[in-house]
Amino acid sequence: MLRIFILSILLVCAVGGKAFGRDAAAVSPTHPPDIQKIKDRGQLIVAMLSRDIIPAVMSDSNGNMFGNDVDLAKAIAKELNVEFIVDRTAQTFNGVVDVVASGKADIGLSSLSRTLARAEKVRFSRPYVVLRPVLVMNRIAASKYALDGSLARMAGFSGLIGEPKGNSYLEFAKTVSPKATLTEFGDWDETFKALTEGRIAASFRDEVGVRNYLFKYPERSVELSTTAIDNPSMSDGISIAVNSQNLHLLGFINLYLEMNYPTRKAEDLFRIYAQYYKK
Amino acid sequence: MLNIIKSNFWLQLVLLLTIPQLSQAQDNLQTVQEIRKRGELRVASVQEPLYPFAMLKEGRWSGYELELAQLVAKAIGVKLVWDASYPDAAALIDALKQRKADLVFARLKRELGTAQQVNYSLPYIALDFVIVTNRLKVLEKKPTDDTLLSINNLPLHIGTLNTPLYLNKLSKRFPKAKVVTFANIASLTEALEAGKIDAAFCDEVEARNIFLDKPERGLSLRYFALPEINSELAAIVDWSDTHFTAWLNLVLEPVAGMTRAVELFSKHH
């Protein structure tokens, strides 16, 4: 048995060709393993949220997908000369990250914010969209607590702030308002309903999310006031999640974004996808 | 220890599967040490000299890319071996894969096809693209004036190099152009001078060399800068040398992007 084992080791060394130092005969494969795997499969598998998000991920009545993130993912697949395949099993943003981390998808896009917790599971590309965080307040609560929309006021605020469970803005709210009590809700609709009803005083969300909400429920701007936070160091970088093993794919995607995709802001998205914000 | 290995089939299997990967990881970490042990940094480049990046004079190579390669060799503490025996980018990538070269300096522009096969270093210079027109050929098309603005709308025959990067940039910038492709700058220049094409689309260094080689070409040809279109040059390293790439970037970081083509021309002229 030992002889077989030693022979096997020698065989592996001979085949691998580089077990004990690099030599001139050791040839590196044409593509890195992560890119080769995608090319062999002929498909780039992209994790996306199960529900549509304007303007990132949208579908027409025939189920054809389009939108900012869909178009970007398709362009990357085209550049790799493979088919675009979507995995929409994830119910939440964190779920998209989990699908990528599990290896079921090569990359994930769905207006994903970078957070340190997510970065423990996946790698993030350079941001392709940069959004401002928005402080959304219940007008009566804002008056009661003398919240003027400034971060200085929010830093000392000790009331109730609400965010959806597992959302990137939970971390953000903890940083901006460390004295506040954080309440977690099921999703944004629940969070903003509680905000409208005054059960919580404030919430933080990205500017596209806030606009989408007020587009859906315009009457709620009576109860809610919004203040965009114009601090670049606090901006929300929307990025592509890449499986942590796919380092060369990550490098390729970053180069793609650098060469072909000037970072977009909310106003760019609102302009490009203006037709989807019309009733 | 040996007995444990002998008696455990699964342990043997794990060792068999992991040893090549461990040694691969070790390769990545040891590239600089290997170069140091060898005593020479092997840098591959293309045969064709291009002023001011790599020039051949009395059998000796010099130029900006040689300076950068020397910088890397000096940082490792070894001598530089400059091997300019390769015809094109494909041969250079192959040299990296065959382990005949540690890195490549060959005024390679970063592009996505190559990025799937190699690691790019930090870009060391950004070059603007330009359009060089044949004055008479453009006049025949009856432009409203002699500005770039009027050229934009003419249905010109524009020649360029047959690479996806050049073709993509040309078709985006001049959507009305009829594109003619050429294998190299020499044949592109010849066609432009002979009036077989109306204009040539190339980078500023290639264009400056057209006039530097024969200054009298300024009488028949005209140079228009297109500063909104540019491309960055970077060294390349095999994809498996990820650690070496990061190390190389640290060496290049102080000089990366600090030089413009016009400065190189005045420095090396």
Side-chain angles (χ1 to χ4, degrees), chain B residues 175-249:
Chain B
K176 291 179 182 171
K178 288 164 187 157
V179 178
V180 186
T181 59
F182 292 86
N184 52 49
I185 288 293
S187 56
L188 175 64
T189 310
E190 193 183 319
L192 182 65
E193 273 195 299
K196 291 176 186 167
I197 52 173
D198 305 318
F201 179 80
C202 54
D203 73 41
E204 58 179 317
V205 168
E206 290 158 346
R208 281 172 188 274
N209 275 301
I210 291 175
F211 293 98
L212 203 65
D213 291 347
K214 287 185 186 173
E216 64 275 19
R217 281 176 175 154
L219 297 171
S220 57
L221 306 180
R222 183 162 181 199
Y223 177 110
F224 290 97
L226 304 170
E228 73 278 16
I229 312 173
N230 49 54
S231 187
E232 293 174 310
L233 308 193
I236 59 169
V237 176
D238 187 59
W239 63 260
S240 62
D241 285 331
T242 48
H243 195 94
F244 180 46
T245 310
W247 187 90
L248 176 68
N249 285 342

Side-chain angles (χ1 to χ4, degrees), chain B residues 130-143 145-148 150-151 154-159 174 182 187-202 207 210-211 216-224:
Chain B
V130 302
I131 188 152
V132 182
T133 58
N134 180 309
R135 292 174 189 268
L136 285 176
K137 292 292 289 181
V138 170
L139 278 176
E140 284 172 14
K141 307 275 179 187
K142 300 189 176 15
D145 53 48
D146 63 348
T147 63
L148 181 61
S150 67
I151 290 174
L154 297 177
L156 298 178
H157 284 83
I158 303 181
F174 295 97
F182 292 86
S187 56
L188 175 64
T189 310
E190 193 183 319
L192 182 65
E193 273 195 299
K196 291 176 186 167
I197 52 173
D198 305 318
F201 179 80
C202 54
I210 291 175
F211 293 98
E216 64 275 19
R217 281 176 175 154
L219 297 171
S220 57
L221 306 180
R222 183 162 181 199
Y223 177 110
F224 290 97

Side-chain angles (χ1 to χ4, degrees), chain B residues 43-239:
Chain B
V43 178
S45 194
V46 281
Q47 296 159 345
E48 194 181 358
L50 182 72
Y51 186 87
F53 292 120
M55 299 85 80
L56 188 61
K57 192 177 177 186
E58 294 166 0
R60 288 180 65 85
W61 286 94
S62 64
Y64 185 54
E65 288 186 328
L66 271 289
E67 288 172 13
L68 293 173
Q70 284 287 9
L71 190 72
V72 180
K74 193 179 169 190
I76 304 175
V78 294
K79 70 170 182 172
L80 170 68
V81 176
W82 183 265
D83 179 5
S85 63
Y86 297 92
D88 52 30
L92 289 165
I93 293 170
D94 198 46
L96 289 175
K97 301 206 173 299
Q98 301 283 343
R99 297 293 173 193
K100 291 176 185 167
D102 302 308
L103 77 152
V104 166
F105 272 106
R107 62 263 184 184
L108 292 177
K109 294 180 174 72
R110 293 192 307 166
E111 54 99 13
L112 291 163
T114 305
Q116 295 174 35
Q117 299 182 52
V118 299
N119 295 338
Y120 280 112
S121 73
L122 283 175
Y124 49 84
I125 194 167
L127 300 181
D128 291 342
F129 275 78
V130 302
I131 188 152
V132 182
T133 58
N134 180 309
R135 292 174 189 268
L136 285 176
K137 292 292 289 181
V138 170
L139 278 176
E140 284 172 14
K141 307 275 179 187
K142 300 189 176 15
T144 50
D145 53 48
D146 63 348
T147 63
L148 181 61
L149 198 64
S150 67
I151 290 174
N152 284 339
N153 296 318
L154 297 177
L156 298 178
H157 284 83
I158 303 181
T160 194
L161 297 183
N162 191 13
T163 73
L165 184 87
Y166 279 57
L167 291 169
N168 189 24
K169 286 184 184 292
L170 172 57
S171 59
K172 273 187 186 167
R173 179 61 181 77
F174 295 97
K176 291 179 182 171
K178 288 164 187 157
V179 178
V180 186
T181 59
F182 292 86
N184 52 49
I185 288 293
S187 56
L188 175 64
T189 310
E190 193 183 319
L192 182 65
E193 273 195 299
K196 291 176 186 167
I197 52 173
D198 305 318
F201 179 80
C202 54
D203 73 41
E204 58 179 317
V205 168
E206 290 158 346
R208 281 172 188 274
N209 275 301
I210 291 175
F211 293 98
L212 203 65
D213 291 347
K214 287 185 186 173
E216 64 275 19
R217 281 176 175 154
L219 297 171
S220 57
L221 306 180
R222 183 162 181 199
Y223 177 110
F224 290 97
L226 304 170
E228 73 278 16
I229 312 173
N230 49 54
S231 187
E232 293 174 310
L233 308 193
I236 59 169
V237 176
D238 187 59
W239 63 260

Side-chain angles (χ1 to χ4, degrees), chain A residues 1-2 4-10 12-13 16 18-36 39 76 79-81 247-248 251-260, chain B residues 2 5-6 9 11-13 15-16 19-20 23-24 26-28 30-31 34 42 93 96-100 110-113 115-120 123 165 168-169 172 231-232 238-242:
Chain A
M1 195 63 180
L2 178 63
I4 294 171
F5 174 67
I6 292 169
L7 280 171
S8 307
I9 291 279
L10 290 173
V12 168
C13 294
K18 40 169 62 179
F20 301 109
R22 188 177 2 215
D23 56 60
V27 178
S28 173
T30 307
H31 294 100
D34 51 350
I35 290 179
Q36 188 63 55
K39 286 188 173 285
I76 292 169
E79 203 63 57
L80 288 165
N81 204 21
L247 291 182
H248 292 94
F252 172 79
I253 288 172
N254 279 334
L255 187 62
Y256 177 85
L257 293 173
E258 190 185 327
M259 292 172 71
N260 295 313
Chain B
L2 203 60
I5 296 172
K6 275 168 69 178
F9 168 77
L11 183 58
Q12 290 177 21
L13 189 65
L15 283 170
L16 274 171
I19 280 176
S23 61
Q24 173 78 50
Q26 215 172 27
D27 271 353
N28 290 339
Q30 287 185 343
T31 306
E34 283 171 16
R42 300 172 306 188
I93 293 170
L96 289 175
K97 301 206 173 299
Q98 301 283 343
R99 297 293 173 193
K100 291 176 185 167
R110 293 192 307 166
E111 54 99 13
L112 291 163
Q116 295 174 35
Q117 299 182 52
V118 299
N119 295 338
Y120 280 112
L165 184 87
N168 189 24
K169 286 184 184 292
K172 273 187 186 167
S231 187
E232 293 174 310
D238 187 59
W239 63 260
S240 62
D241 285 331
T242 48

Side-chain angles (χ1 to χ4, degrees), chain A residues 89-149:
Chain A
T89 54
Q91 305 291 315
T92 63
F93 293 99
N94 280 349
V96 174
V97 170
D98 289 338
V99 172
V100 175
S102 72
K104 289 177 189 162
D106 302 305
I107 59 173
L109 291 90
S110 274
S111 242
L112 288 177
S113 300
R114 296 177 302 170
T115 70
L116 293 174
R118 289 173 184 170
E120 288 180 19
K121 297 179 178 178
V122 295
R123 298 268 187 148
F124 281 108
S125 72
R126 57 187 282 159
Y128 59 94
V129 170
V130 174
L131 302 176
R132 294 178 303 172
V134 176
L135 169 61
V136 188
M137 294 175 290
N138 177 292
R139 290 184 191 272
I140 295 170
S143 171
K144 181 180 167 188
Y145 292 105
L147 301 176
D148 57 2

